Amino acid sequence: MNRIGKHATPNRPTGKFSFGMFTFVICFLYTPLVILVAYSFNQSKMMSWGGFSLRWYSELFFNSESLWHSFGNSAIIAVTSATISTAIGTLGAIGFYWYRFKFKKLIRIAAFVPILIPEIIIGVSLLIFFAGIKLNLSLFTIFLAHTTFNIPFVLMVVTARLEEFDFTIIEAAYDLGAKELQTLAKVILPAAFPGIMSGFLIAVTLSLEDFVVTFFVSGRGSATLPLHIYSMIRFGVSPVINALSVIVIAGTVVLAVLSRNVVKYMFQK
Amino acid sequence: MKKNLGPAYVAPITVWLCVFFVIPISIIVYYSFLTKGFNGGVVHKFSLDAFRALYNPTIFKITFNTFWVACVSTAVMVALAVPAAYYMARSRHKNFFMLLVIIPFWTNFLIRIYAWMAVLGNNGVVNHALLSMGLIDRHIQFLYNTNAVILVAVYTYLPFAILPLYSTIEKFDFSLVEAARDLGATKLAATLRVLVPNIRGGITTAVLFTFIPAFGNYAIPQIIGGSSSYMLGNVIARELTVTRNWPLASSISLVITALTTLGVLIFMRFNRSASEEARERAQDNAPMSAMPQVSAQSTGTGASE
């Protein structure tokens, strides 16, 4: 978004084929969600229409304590793991980008490997590892696991941002007498801030989303929202989940719109 | 650069990933060569049982099924994503379209799976509609088979294909296509021979980001798959939590890791875009001075912040 105008798109009609495919994709992505929204207001417990009702929402808000508890767990883990992984990933990105040192290439490639490995492998290996060091499965193990899979994503996003900007401003800072830490705090971090912010947001999203890894490393009483949803949907369609879905979708829309504006604002400043 | 603080910067990431990634993976490798314990866990005695157990028709069938699901869903996703991303990148409303793609993508993974249960499930909307219209006497089982797994995999991972393609196509200089057209290329030829080679990086990312999760799929076949659509991920989970044969769970994990790594390596080798290579060469040889173009582009952004 910071590149508006650099590759200005000519306002020329685009192909019918690509328009058709795009329309299809959007319909495909939204149809199931729209159906969930519609049926969340259904009086009937079944998927046949029984009239408008808000009963599933009152069920969701006033009669689903364990669900809200799991939501709290998810929020705690998302914020903590995103914070730690953003700090670690950002430092790593800066280190890889500006310095040369022994084994740099190897470490750098190795740091991206967790992205390329199926989630289930991370879950299984961490479960076996935690069992090996006799660490009881709890919110803490989930936090460790989420931080682990978040770090490479933060690294990737921040690196991408660093690659976009100018080395010379750092040289300028040094030439003007800035110390290493001053340069980091006053030049590098502010310049990389949009990348750090999107790294953090991605980490929060991935953490809130995650089912597979969490499934393996969670213990009794440490269910996150996705685990709770999983235990509910195993018994089939439930109107309460329809209502929950609407809340989740609405939250997602708000978050997406807000974060877009935040990003825009940051770029324009 | 004055002092070399590089190692200090990368120490946290290196330590963290060593402890929580490299060591656990090494333990898996180690466990796969051990004897299984009676109630989960392992006996520290060398054994190849876990690998021998892989050599059986059921595992072969499941491995084939896993490949099938991953390949078909990846192919469908890329086929849908290239034109869709192209349209988005060329549109005047690209920011809005981006948002449209991101919203379902950020909606919880399990809710997206669940949405298809509500649509196609035995008590789902489609079955209800067909029943009430009298077109069928009893519900049709749409879910709990391999095609349902592919459908839902495409649904949940499609944005992973669209987003990288979108950002590559958006950066593509379309005057190249115009030049090709002016020089007499047909629309199709210009697309295939100018656009596609230039967005190869995006296609690679799209394939990797869709194939890997589809291959290591666990949740989707677990929730809306049936016994016929079992995938390797489900076997691991079963061995780990139900049968409690940890060496076998480890050896299957190794197989998945090896197969995905191999696939990724082969794919990257064939698809390494020329621009990437050139960029790396430039970086290796002359890190600061050889990037005038990058500097020129980013001075504006850098200065404005």
Side-chain angles (χ1 to χ4, degrees), chain A residues 56-115:
Chain A
W56 306 117
Y57 287 91
S58 74
E59 182 89 353
L60 172 69
F61 283 111
F62 304 115
N63 209 359
S64 313
E65 269 161 44
S66 58
L67 187 148
W68 291 105
H69 179 72
S70 66
F71 177 74
N73 286 346
S74 276
I76 293 169
I77 290 169
V79 172
T80 50
S81 80
T83 308
I84 301 295
S85 55
T86 304
I88 294 177
T90 302
L91 285 180
I94 293 171
F96 287 130
Y97 204 63
W98 271 298
Y99 298 95
R100 287 155 177 271
F101 46 89
K102 247 187 185 173
F103 305 125
K104 172 176 149 174
K105 217 165 187 178
L106 178 77
I107 302 174
R108 191 178 180 178
I109 291 172
F112 283 107
V113 172
I115 295 184

Side-chain angles (χ1 to χ4, degrees), chain A residues 217-229:
Chain A
V217 298
S218 72
R220 206 165 286 159
S222 62
T224 59
L225 187 61
L227 288 185
H228 191 86
I229 298 175

Side-chain angles (χ1 to χ4, degrees), chain B residues 88-158:
Chain B
M88 286 165 67
R90 303 229 66 192
S91 159
R92 250 176 297 178
H93 312 290
K94 46 180 147 186
N95 288 340
F96 174 65
F97 288 157
M98 257 303 257
L99 206 62
L100 276 186
V101 172
I102 284 177
I103 287 168
F105 181 51
W106 277 6
T107 300
N108 194 284
F109 177 58
L110 285 177
I111 285 181
R112 284 181 286 158
I113 301 177
Y114 168 74
W116 284 99
M117 291 174 68
V119 176
L120 291 181
N122 295 345
N123 293 316
V125 178
V126 174
N127 266 317
H128 260 291
L130 292 176
L131 278 169
S132 61
M133 283 190 287
L135 292 174
I136 50 171
D137 305 328
R138 51 186 310 254
H139 66 78
I140 304 173
Q141 181 139 312
F142 293 110
L143 300 179
Y144 315 112
N145 58 52
T146 304
N147 288 334
V149 173
I150 293 175
L151 172 78
V152 177
V154 169
Y155 183 72
T156 46
Y157 303 132
L158 185 58

Side-chain angles (χ1 to χ4, degrees), chain A residues 3 23 42 46 68 126 128-129 135 137 141 148 159 167 169 191 208 230 252 255 266:
Chain A
R3 282 189 305 273
T23 315
N42 188 7
M46 306 303 287
W68 291 105
L126 281 172
I128 291 180
F129 173 68
L135 189 59
L137 299 179
T141 48
T148 306
T159 304
F167 279 114
I169 58 169
L208 286 177
Y230 176 66
T252 312
L255 200 74
M266 284 184 312

Side-chain angles (χ1 to χ4, degrees), chain A:
Chain A
M1 262 170 257
N2 58 329
R3 282 189 305 273
I4 287 171
K6 196 174 89 186
H7 304 285
T9 312
N11 296 329
R12 138 169 28 81
T14 41
K16 278 185 193 130
F17 173 70
S18 63
F19 173 69
M21 291 299 264
F22 175 73
T23 315
F24 173 76
V25 162
I26 293 296
C27 291
F28 176 59
L29 288 177
Y30 279 88
T31 307
L33 299 183
V34 169
I35 287 173
L36 282 190
V37 174
Y39 276 86
S40 72
F41 299 106
N42 188 7
Q43 165 71 34
S44 161
K45 205 172 162 58
M46 306 303 287
M47 290 304 268
S48 55
W49 190 253
F52 181 86
S53 154
L54 289 175
R55 65 185 275 212
W56 306 117
Y57 287 91
S58 74
E59 182 89 353
L60 172 69
F61 283 111
F62 304 115
N63 209 359
S64 313
E65 269 161 44
S66 58
L67 187 148
W68 291 105
H69 179 72
S70 66
F71 177 74
N73 286 346
S74 276
I76 293 169
I77 290 169
V79 172
T80 50
S81 80
T83 308
I84 301 295
S85 55
T86 304
I88 294 177
T90 302
L91 285 180
I94 293 171
F96 287 130
Y97 204 63
W98 271 298
Y99 298 95
R100 287 155 177 271
F101 46 89
K102 247 187 185 173
F103 305 125
K104 172 176 149 174
K105 217 165 187 178
L106 178 77
I107 302 174
R108 191 178 180 178
I109 291 172
F112 283 107
V113 172
I115 295 184
L116 296 177
I117 282 198
E119 270 187 302
I120 187 165
I121 306 296
I122 296 183
V124 168
S125 64
L126 281 172
L127 170 61
I128 291 180
F129 173 68
F130 292 144
I133 59 170
K134 305 239 167 9
L135 189 59
N136 281 334
L137 299 179
S138 62
L139 282 186
F140 182 62
T141 48
I142 302 178
F143 157 78
L144 293 175
H146 283 205
T147 308
T148 306
F149 68 66
N150 275 336
I151 286 174
F153 281 99
V154 175
L155 177 69
M156 190 171 75
V157 173
V158 178
T159 304
R161 171 65 193 169
L162 292 180
E163 275 172 359
E164 271 178 9
F165 86 76
D166 197 354
F167 279 114
T168 51
I169 58 169
I170 292 159
E171 292 190 332
Y174 283 131
D175 288 346
L176 294 170
K179 299 258 159 45
E180 191 87 36
L181 275 179
Q182 284 177 312
T183 317
L184 176 70
K186 300 218 162 138
V187 180
I188 301 179
L189 286 182
F193 189 69
I196 297 171
M197 218 34 226
S198 31
F200 181 80
L201 280 178
I202 283 177
V204 168
T205 317
L206 289 173
S207 174
L208 286 177
E209 271 274 302
D210 184 76
F211 166 70
V212 177
V213 175
T214 318
F215 177 77
F216 288 102
V217 298
S218 72
R220 206 165 286 159
S222 62
T224 59
L225 187 61
L227 288 185
H228 191 86
I229 298 175
Y230 176 66
S231 65
M232 284 173 89
I233 65 179
R234 277 204 310 191
F235 305 108
V237 175
S238 142
V240 178
I241 306 180
N242 293 344
L244 174 68
S245 308
V246 174
I247 305 293
V248 171
I249 295 167
T252 312
V253 172
V254 171
L255 200 74
V257 172
L258 276 185
S259 66
R260 194 182 64 139
N261 285 341
V262 167
V263 172
K264 234 192 211 157
Y265 172 74
M266 284 184 312
F267 281 121
Q268 279 166 355
K269 215 163 77 167

